[in-house]
Amino acid sequence: DFKGARPAYDRAYALAPGDADILLMYAFFASKSGRDTDALRVIERAAALDPLNPRVFRAKALTLISARRPQDAIEAARKALAMNAQLSGTHGYLGLALVLTGKAVEAKAEFAAEPNLSARLAGLAITERTLGNAAAADAAFAELVRARGDAANYQQAQVLAQKGDVD
């Protein structure tokens, strides 16, 4: 319920415009609700406020992916990983940006390094299919369903959509 959630996010932003963690959550929300310009402006402010916070650069990577700027997202994700190589989600965001820029082999390595099981398996299923390895893609997807079930419905939808199964 993006419309219903927006007042709470706007209030948090108004109360803590100098808190990078609040700003990165606001940027996530703005990005997910289709407000890429707002999201990018806010995540840049968060990065300026807390340039040593890897979570800010992880959020910046996702914001840039959503804004259809995957090449810039690669740089942000790599910056986050330079600060914390095991930051959950970051290898996955880097992998996604690499897939979007046609670098599926590099993406596969990033997804394999992702600590979050759902993101790792979904990413591997996507990259294997991109690389033409249907059996490996299906195996990764089956493992995602087996290991995570309903807890990974979003990731399952990502894999199925990429496969062309939009229903």
Side-chain angles (χ1 to χ4, degrees):
D1 179 11
F2 286 104
K3 185 178 179 183
R6 184 164 181 181
Y9 278 95
D10 288 345
R11 177 103 170 111
Y13 179 71
L15 291 172
D19 184 324
D21 286 315
I22 295 295
L23 296 181
L24 75 87
M25 294 306 294
Y26 185 88
F28 270 138
F29 176 74
S31 179
K32 293 291 185 185
S33 57
R35 296 175 19 244
D36 291 329
T37 301
D38 289 342
L40 292 168
R41 177 182 48 80
V42 171
I43 201 64
E44 288 297 340
R45 177 163 166 69
L49 287 169
D50 198 353
L52 300 178
N53 184 340
R55 294 181 318 279
V56 168
F57 292 94
R58 174 184 60 190
K60 185 175 180 179
L62 182 59
T63 301
L64 288 162
I65 289 168
S66 295
R68 293 174 180 78
R69 292 176 46 193
Q71 192 60 48
D72 294 331
I74 291 169
E75 181 182 330
R78 286 189 173 143
K79 188 167 186 170
L81 289 170
M83 292 181 222
N84 181 345
Q86 291 302 310
L87 183 60
S88 183
T90 312
H91 284 284
Y93 295 156
L94 178 53
L96 181 56
L98 289 165
V99 166
L100 292 170
T101 58
K103 300 172 184 164
V105 172
E106 290 178 57
K108 182 179 172 182
E110 292 301 331
F111 284 122
E114 173 55 50
N116 178 290
L117 181 63
S118 298
R120 180 173 63 244
L121 292 172
L124 289 172
I126 289 168
T127 54
E128 291 291 7
R129 186 150 323 272
T130 301
L131 292 168
N133 304 325
D138 291 343
F141 181 73
E143 179 62 16
L144 174 65
V145 172
R146 186 200 65 72
R148 299 292 294 143
D150 287 347
N153 282 342
Y154 179 84
Q155 290 81 5
Q156 291 175 40
Q158 283 180 301
V159 173
L160 292 170
Q162 185 271 343
K163 183 180 178 180
D165 183 355
V166 296
D167 290 337

